[in-house]
Amino acid sequence: MSKIITLVEELVTPILDDMSLELIDMEYVKEGSNWFLRVFIDKDSGVDIEECGLVSERLSEKLDEIDPIPHNYFLEVSSPGAERPLKNEKDFQKAVGKNVYVKTYEPINGEKAFEGTLLSYSSEQLSLEVTIKTRKKKVEIPSDKIAIARLAVTF
């Protein structure tokens, strides 16, 4: 599966560069009896359905040319949504000052899930300001303990 993801990344990157879009994430998964190749794209001002459709058409043409996937699959190109995942240093740096949700592999101060304002990020750790009841508290989370991180929508 990682071979397919690597190949698709090589195919989609020039398309996205040409359209001034960014590759956020990809997944190639089996759900029930169907396979799905999902490509998540974005840009600072967000992407619309026309851009997703155009990327899908162009990528589909490239995939049809080299036919790297031996069975039927569904290609889905979309925005990662309002609660987009934070996968790399660039994602975390862009999220500084925003509300994020972080889940850890093991408890930190007795907790494994945190939501708050991302104060800072480095390759070693991130700092969050979380609100517990009415008190604000700073939490330091080592980067190697992060299982999941994403933007969190607040109402």
Side-chain angles (χ1 to χ4, degrees), residues 51-71:
E51 290 168 311
C52 291
L54 187 55
V55 170
S56 179
E57 288 174 22
R58 291 177 65 184
L59 178 57
S60 184
E61 288 173 8
K62 295 285 187 191
L63 289 167
D64 287 347
E65 283 175 20
I66 61 173
D67 200 22
I69 301 173
H71 50 268

Side-chain angles (χ1 to χ4, degrees), residues 5-148:
I5 292 292
T6 301
L7 177 63
V8 173
E9 184 174 354
E10 290 171 8
L11 293 174
V12 78
T13 298
I15 295 167
L16 298 177
D17 288 348
D18 184 50
M19 297 176 64
S20 300
L21 299 170
E22 177 184 3
L23 178 64
I24 302 302
D25 199 9
M26 284 192 306
E27 62 182 21
Y28 180 59
V29 294
K30 187 172 186 179
E31 294 177 0
S33 61
N34 296 314
W35 283 91
F36 292 86
L37 174 59
R38 294 189 176 111
V39 180
F40 300 96
I41 61 173
D42 207 359
K43 65 181 178 187
D44 288 341
S45 60
V47 293
D48 59 32
I49 193 154
E50 288 83 18
E51 290 168 311
C52 291
L54 187 55
V55 170
S56 179
E57 288 174 22
R58 291 177 65 184
L59 178 57
S60 184
E61 288 173 8
K62 295 285 187 191
L63 289 167
D64 287 347
E65 283 175 20
I66 61 173
D67 200 22
I69 301 173
H71 50 268
N72 292 336
Y73 62 95
F74 295 96
L75 173 62
E76 297 177 354
V77 177
S78 68
S79 161
E83 293 192 336
R84 69 177 278 178
L86 304 175
K87 298 273 191 173
N88 55 46
E89 184 168 350
K90 182 179 174 186
D91 293 340
F92 281 98
Q93 292 300 341
K94 285 172 71 173
V96 170
K98 296 180 181 174
N99 198 51
V100 300
Y101 170 82
V102 178
K103 187 171 182 181
T104 58
Y105 290 113
E106 57 190 54
I108 295 173
N109 301 329
E111 300 291 329
K112 289 179 72 175
F114 304 88
E115 185 172 329
T117 303
L118 180 60
L119 300 174
S120 65
Y121 175 83
S122 73
S123 57
E124 291 82 37
Q125 73 177 18
L126 62 80
S127 296
L128 281 180
E129 182 180 77
V130 298
T131 303
I132 301 170
K133 296 186 182 178
T134 59
R135 302 182 76 191
K136 294 190 182 288
K137 181 179 176 186
K138 186 175 178 182
V139 178
E140 306 284 339
I141 301 173
S143 296
D144 62 350
K145 304 289 187 232
I146 299 170
I148 297 170

